[in-house]
């Protein structure tokens, strides 16, 4: 069996996995790197501007994420006409009159963030991968326990055997790396399914993200580039309502969606193919065991209501790369407790705090108790008037100090 030795083997070539690979490759320490993913493809996204030409999966990337991707050289490779800067956010309660408006002008910044199709960000990162990152478009058959020489054997389905000083699990919410490593999770079902699609609205979105908190779940309309009437929607709702609206023809779906947003953007005129995603919160109790570490959705998944999931993943990527490069410079074992526990300390508290906040929002806006509805709406109106508090919240959401 052919064997190859690597310092770091990254399993999963999604946004987080590729960001880790690029960050490690750009460090001053020479590392031998492998990236494994059977779905890895060198094909660039199409430039199709029809409704079905946009990626159904988009992310609201924060200023901190933008800065990280810029340092990697990836942000500059995303076509300017596939970036949609949003300068406002309008949030309101479906069960009352409470609302909050956020504006970039209040922070004297050009934008609150950017809506970017995931396939555009992924392609930009892929173009930054240097030759020292060896890519294997294969499935991992298994990996063994760490050996006495400090390497962990990783067997691929094509028969190759890789030896890794450190395995990084960046293989998503259903991470096989997490399962193989025996890292338990705390998780529960949100009772929501997210419907994602691209739609054309009667009225322009005005570079604003619109979000209505309904008892069944939040509904977001996110502005897309090129056409101010195009939006990417994330409609979080009960499985029963998801069944009902997805069973409608396009005209019926568009009417239901228009009603769900209370007609704030006029009628929904057209909609693309839809995808449905069950929502579940997961958090690994530990992000590592000797020789193995988790990042991104493999370590934690949260409700998409505030669009923070991928931003947390990029924070993981940046921090993990820093710790690995620091350890390599000091000639430490990069797969040791000393190194991996430090990464966990730096990231776990932030991830848990964000997850708790998202769960709190879900519980708060999912309640139909009259007193709580009253307090919720009064609280939103008060919060909207407290500009310094809003500024602080906006800065935290953007990852700014």
């Amino acid at each position: 069996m052919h064997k190859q030795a690597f310092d770091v083997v990254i399993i999963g070539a999604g946004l987080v996995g590729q960001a880790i690979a690029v960050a490690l490759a750009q460090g001053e320490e020479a590392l031998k790197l492998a990236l494994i993913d059977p779905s890895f493809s060198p094909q660039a996204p199409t430039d199709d501007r029809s409704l079905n030409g946009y990626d159904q999966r988009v992310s609201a990337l924060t200023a901190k994420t933008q800065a990280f991707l810029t340092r990697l050289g990836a942000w500059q490779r995303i076509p300017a006409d596939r970036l949609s800067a949003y300068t406002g956010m309008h949030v309101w309660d479906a069960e009352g009159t409470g609302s909050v408006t956020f504006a970039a002008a209040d922070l004297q910044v050009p934008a609150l963030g950017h809506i970017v199709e995931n396939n555009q960000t992924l392609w930009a990162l892929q173009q930054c991968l240097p030759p020292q990152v060896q890519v294997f478009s294969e499935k991992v058959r298994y990996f063994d326990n760490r050996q006495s020489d400090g390497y962990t054997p990783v067997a691929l389905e094509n028969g190759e055997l890789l030896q890794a000083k450190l395995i990084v699990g960046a293989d998503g919410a259903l991470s096989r790396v997490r399962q193989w490593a025996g890292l338990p999770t705390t998780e529960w079902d949100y009772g929501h399914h997210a419907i994602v699609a691209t739609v054309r609205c009667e009225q322009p979105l005005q570079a604003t993200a619109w979000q209505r908190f309904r008892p069944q779940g939040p509904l977001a309309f996110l502005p897309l580039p090129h056409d101010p009437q195009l939006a990417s929607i994330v409609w979080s709702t009960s499985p029963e309502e998801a069944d009902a609206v997805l069973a409608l023809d396009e005209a019926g779906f568009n009417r239901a969606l228009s009603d769900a947003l209370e007609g704030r953007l006029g009628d929904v005129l057209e909609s693309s193919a839809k995808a449905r995603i069950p929502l579940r919160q997961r958090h690994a109790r530990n992000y590592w065991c000797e020789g193995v570490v988790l990042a991104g959705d493999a370590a934690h998944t949260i409700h998409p209501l505030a669009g923070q999931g991928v931003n947390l993943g990029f924070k993981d990527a940046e921090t993990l790369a820093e710790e690995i490069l620091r350890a390599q410079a000091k000639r430490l074992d990069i797969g040791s407790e000393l190194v991996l526990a430090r990464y966990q300390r730096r990231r776990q508290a932030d991830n848990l705090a964000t997850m708790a906040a998202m769960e709190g929002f879900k519980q708060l806006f999912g309640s139909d108790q009259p007193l709580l509805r009253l307090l919720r709406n009064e609280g939103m109106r008060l919060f909207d008037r407290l500009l310094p508090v809003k500024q602080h919240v906006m800065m935290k959401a953007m990852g700014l100090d």
Side-chain angles (χ1 to χ4, degrees), residues 164-368:
K165 288 183 180 177
L166 176 63
I167 295 172
V168 176
D171 52 338
L174 301 178
S175 170
R176 296 182 73 193
V177 172
R178 186 182 65 228
Q179 295 167 24
W180 287 332
L183 294 169
T185 61
T186 299
E187 57 184 273
W188 60 87
D189 196 316
Y190 279 119
H192 284 173
H193 285 198
I195 301 169
V196 294
T198 303
V199 303
R200 184 182 305 280
C201 304
E202 183 179 12
Q203 298 173 12
L205 275 76
Q206 306 168 61
T208 298
W210 302 78
Q211 188 163 36
R212 182 188 183 213
F213 280 96
R214 307 163 64 241
Q216 301 90 338
L219 168 62
F221 276 57
L222 308 174
L224 288 172
H226 186 64
D227 185 335
Q229 291 173 257
L230 288 185
S232 176
I233 65 149
V234 184
W235 189 353
S236 301
T237 186
S238 66
E240 295 77 19
E241 186 177 42
D243 287 339
V245 297
L246 288 174
L248 299 171
D249 61 15
E250 183 181 350
F253 178 87
N254 295 347
R255 283 194 300 273
L257 184 56
S258 303
D259 291 343
L261 198 71
E262 297 182 321
R264 293 291 179 103
L265 296 171
D267 292 334
V268 173
L269 305 177
E270 298 177 81
S271 55
S272 71
K274 291 86 179 168
R276 174 178 182 165
I277 306 163
L279 301 179
R280 189 171 182 84
Q281 176 162 298
R282 293 181 183 86
H283 188 262
R285 296 175 201 169
N286 285 298
Y287 293 0
W288 65 276
C289 61
E290 192 176 28
V292 181
V293 67
L294 306 177
D297 283 356
H300 46 79
T301 58
I302 65 171
H303 200 289
L305 65 88
Q308 287 299 309
V310 73
N311 294 297
L312 293 179
F314 280 129
K315 286 183 183 180
D316 290 352
E318 185 174 22
T319 303
L320 181 58
E322 288 174 2
E323 292 302 329
I324 292 172
L325 292 169
R326 185 203 309 269
Q328 185 74 359
K330 293 181 177 180
R331 300 299 178 257
L332 299 174
D333 177 0
I334 60 175
S336 68
E337 176 181 358
L338 180 67
V339 176
L340 303 182
R342 180 180 169 89
Y343 156 71
Q344 177 169 300
R345 284 195 301 271
R346 291 182 62 188
R347 289 300 312 135
Q348 192 174 57
D350 180 37
N351 290 332
L352 284 170
T354 304
M355 293 172 79
M358 297 307 99
E359 179 64 18
F361 276 120
K362 178 185 176 295
Q363 296 294 336
L364 177 64
F365 286 94
S367 174
D368 59 358

